[in-house]
Amino acid sequence: GALVYQYPRRTICKSGTSMRMECQAVGFQATSVAWYRQSPQKTFELIALSTVNSAIKYEQNFTQEKFPISHPNLSFSSMTVLNAYLEDRGLYLCGAPTGSSQNTLYFGAGTRLSVL
Amino acid sequence: QQKVQQSPESLIVPEGGMASLNCTFSDRNSQYFWWYRQHSGEGPKALMSIFSNGDKKEGRFTAHLNKASLYVSLHIKDSQPSDSALYFCAGTGGYKVVFGSGTRLLVSP
């Protein structure tokens, strides 16, 4: 079946430093990947939508300069949180449509970012 | 821009009872809707999709969609303690999927 793995599951970084998180699609081709952040209050914000061989579309309040994303092939994507501060805390989720079931997004378990 | 209102914020039902969750959407052009479930420490998992008006039943779960009213609901029959989780409705808003704010369901044994 289709699975999405995210690494690391949890990470802590010092304020002002950066951290990179990875997303691996197994069993299907992730032509597009949606990166979301789930706040400590559990609300979802779409950060960006990445499509292989196409420009990455960032949502308002999120920029490439702050959240650079790489999506080099159909099974892997990574995102970095640069210069992390307290407001960047949350669960970062990678979701990909499998192509069947009308593009239902399948999510990984997320990378939980804490900032000290 | 798609806005999603989800209610209730939290819900307690006895084991064996019926849980009812509701969502309203703002974008009349939305075509696809989902219910996701998230257990503690995990990512959200797609529980059910519904794309046509009416009811869709999968086991103990029934989703209802009324596009004219921009309304989606989820009913869980014979609720089990393992159903205790955060539930999110989601719908398309243009090119993206927009999520509700969540309902925390607790099924008490």
Side-chain angles (χ1 to χ4, degrees):
Chain A
L3 290 171
V4 176
Y5 290 102
Q6 288 189 252
Y7 179 83
R9 289 290 304 270
R10 290 179 178 272
T11 186
I12 302 172
C13 67
K14 286 186 179 177
S15 183
T17 64
S18 303
M19 71 82 50
R20 181 172 176 265
M21 54 193 76
E22 301 180 349
C23 175
Q24 183 93 31
V26 177
F28 71 104
Q29 294 183 329
T31 308
S32 62
V33 168
W35 284 94
Y36 284 82
R37 179 171 66 196
Q38 188 177 30
S39 70
Q41 294 73 36
K42 306 302 180 189
T43 56
F44 287 84
E45 294 175 280
L46 177 64
I47 298 170
L49 185 63
S50 170
T51 304
V52 172
N53 297 327
S54 190
I56 297 169
K57 187 172 178 53
Y58 285 86
E59 291 297 290
Q60 200 172 11
N61 301 327
F62 296 96
T63 64
Q64 185 179 4
E65 289 70 34
K66 172 75 174 176
F67 299 95
I69 290 169
S70 171
H71 190 178
N73 57 54
L74 294 173
S75 64
F76 182 82
S77 178
S78 67
M79 183 175 75
T80 301
V81 180
L82 292 173
N83 207 11
Y85 285 101
L86 210 56
E87 58 265 27
D88 296 318
R89 290 174 306 159
L91 181 68
Y92 287 81
L93 293 160
C94 155
T98 63
S100 62
S101 190
Q102 304 296 338
N103 290 328
T104 297
L105 283 176
Y106 287 87
F107 287 95
T111 294
R112 186 167 299 281
L113 173 63
S114 300
V115 181
L116 300 179
Chain B
Q1 186 166 339
Q2 175 77 282
K3 301 260 187 251
V4 184
Q5 297 283 338
Q6 186 168 349
S7 64
E9 196 173 302
S10 63
L11 181 61
I12 301 175
V13 299
E15 186 174 355
M18 171 80 84
S20 295
L21 292 67
N22 309 290
C23 276
T24 55
F25 294 81
S26 63
D27 185 352
R28 292 202 167 276
N29 296 317
S30 292
Q31 293 294 313
Y32 306 121
F33 302 87
W34 297 266
W35 283 98
Y36 280 80
R37 181 167 70 183
Q38 185 177 26
H39 284 109
S40 182
E42 298 178 8
K45 288 187 170 55
L47 190 61
M48 285 184 75
S49 60
I50 185 163
F51 308 137
S52 303
N53 282 327
D55 292 339
K56 182 179 180 183
K57 187 171 187 288
E58 290 183 0
R60 296 184 293 108
F61 298 85
T62 300
H64 173 81
L65 171 61
N66 183 327
K67 287 187 183 180
S69 301
L70 300 171
Y71 173 77
V72 173
S73 62
L74 178 70
H75 304 278
I76 307 173
K77 192 174 74 167
D78 187 24
S79 296
Q80 302 297 306
S82 57
D83 294 328
S84 298
L86 267 172
Y87 288 78
F88 295 92
C89 58
T92 48
Y95 61 88
K96 57 186 177 183
V97 176
V98 180
F99 288 79
S101 53
T103 294
R104 187 173 293 281
L105 173 65
L106 177 62
V107 180
S108 55

